[in-house]
Amino acid sequence: NQVDRLRRLAHEEDLVDRHLAQKAVVRGLAHEIKNPLGGLRGAAQLLERKLSESEREYTRIIIREADRLQSLVDRLAEPTHPYLPVQVNIHQVLEHVRSLILAEVGESFVLRRDYDPSIPEFAGDPDQLVQAVLNLVRNAVQAPSRLIVLRSRIERQFTIGQRRHKLVLRTEVEDDGPGVPEALRDTLFYPMVTGHAAGTGLGLSIAQDIARRHGGLIEYTSRPARTIFTLFLPLRHEYDPTG
Ligand SMILES: Nc1ncnc2c1ncn2[C@@H]1O[C@H](COP(=O)(O)OP(=O)(O)O)[C@@H](O)[C@H]1O
Ligand SMILES: [Mg+2]
């Protein structure tokens, strides 16, 4: 109804305002991540020489992921950098995330897919989208949870922020973990807000930034045994990195 709609709009505007303030912080942190990342990659390359061919699979993952992170960090540090729009297939993005997660944590939980195969391709940055969804799935793994569902759906005539879109892609990461801690609920997307001792609190902030660049938004609902983070993306044919 109308009241709910207005409340949602006000809430989203609030998210956008906060988000702009946080961008500067994220940019600073992106810069800090670059140096250790270079060291990590170099060390993996040295290590690779000492390993047998079958063991090199692991160092290759480190190097490939370091490279992906490097290009991501470059773009976070330089948000006006123009990049080439590419046709993105969301299910390729989700399958990439799935294989990364399985390589990272093994099969200690169930990762189920619930895809709508009719979803068309759209213009975007697949590396960034992998990163955004990966951050959501990692959080679900760490919740901790035993069942994670990756879901894709289409919404018609859907509003993101103030803009109404004909077609919106809805990508959900659902988990059966304990839920988002009460104390974090209002600040969850802020950088450096974390519920884990070893957390950086950057995952959701970066994911939200990536969503924004695609003209989209991440929202969530959470209660014990059912937490859903939803990435809304307009299905656009032209990609405008300024949002
Ligand atoms: N699926 C989830 N279930 C429960 N809590 C979550 C979930 N996703 C995020 N959170 C909470 O949000 C916090 C912030 O997440 P994030 O920005 O990715 O930083 P980090 O993972 O480094 O802590 C997490 O520490 C956790 O407390
Ligand atoms: Mg995280």
Side-chain angles (χ1 to χ4, degrees):
N1 64 32
Q2 185 68 3
V3 175
D4 280 347
R5 208 179 98 80
L6 287 176
R7 197 174 290 145
R8 203 186 127 214
L9 281 178
H11 171 71
E12 289 182 357
E13 246 172 87
D14 208 35
L15 280 180
V16 170
D17 282 350
R18 287 190 215 153
H19 182 77
L20 290 176
Q22 293 155 16
K23 260 190 157 172
V25 181
V26 172
R27 226 169 289 158
L29 283 162
H31 193 75
E32 291 302 311
I33 291 168
K34 274 181 142 176
N35 287 330
L37 199 58
L40 196 75
R41 191 187 191 286
Q45 271 179 317
L46 290 176
L47 187 62
E48 183 160 49
R49 294 191 204 150
K50 306 196 179 202
L51 297 179
S52 69
E53 187 53 35
S54 65
E55 291 168 322
R56 283 186 186 162
E57 189 197 328
Y58 301 111
T59 46
R60 270 186 216 122
I61 290 177
I62 297 174
I63 291 168
R64 182 159 41 94
E65 289 304 292
D67 288 344
R68 203 168 55 77
L69 207 54
Q70 176 71 54
S71 76
L72 182 81
V73 155
D74 285 344
R75 277 168 292 172
L76 285 175
E78 247 178 282
T80 52
H81 191 263
Y83 20 115
L84 286 177
V86 165
Q87 283 297 104
V88 181
N89 174 327
I90 192 62
H91 300 125
Q92 271 170 15
V93 168
L94 297 179
E95 288 299 296
H96 188 166
V97 169
R98 189 169 183 274
S99 63
L100 288 174
I101 286 288
L102 292 178
E104 255 179 44
V105 289
E107 313 222 14
S108 55
F109 56 91
V110 178
L111 195 50
R112 185 179 295 161
R113 294 113 137 177
D114 176 10
Y115 298 164
D116 173 353
S118 73
I119 293 170
E121 295 194 336
F122 59 99
D125 183 317
D127 278 358
Q128 287 193 22
L129 292 171
V130 166
Q131 188 68 50
V133 179
L134 187 58
N135 290 357
L136 301 181
V137 179
R138 276 200 184 121
N139 285 346
V141 170
Q142 290 160 1
S145 54
R146 279 166 304 171
L147 172 66
I148 297 172
V149 184
L150 292 177
R151 189 174 292 117
S152 64
R153 291 290 184 272
I154 289 271
E155 298 279 351
R156 278 159 220 286
Q157 302 299 339
F158 196 85
T159 308
I160 301 175
Q162 275 118 305
R163 269 204 236 169
R164 198 167 178 78
H165 300 274
K166 252 203 222 150
L167 287 179
V168 166
L169 166 60
R170 176 186 188 112
T171 304
E172 294 184 348
V173 178
E174 177 177 339
D175 73 68
D176 64 351
V180 172
E182 198 62 46
L184 302 185
R185 293 205 168 195
D186 295 333
T187 55
L188 202 63
F189 289 91
Y190 284 32
M192 290 175 287
V193 169
T194 179
H196 303 296
T200 61
L202 283 182
L204 288 177
S205 164
I206 289 174
Q208 188 68 278
D209 195 35
I210 292 168
R212 289 278 311 149
R213 281 188 199 182
H214 287 79
L217 188 74
I218 298 174
E219 293 190 310
Y220 76 98
T221 62
S222 180
R223 57 176 161 83
R226 190 160 189 263
T227 295
I228 306 177
F229 278 79
T230 307
L231 165 62
F232 293 102
L233 295 174
L235 286 174
R236 300 191 296 196
H237 299 296
E238 266 153 55
Y239 178 43
D240 169 14
T242 59

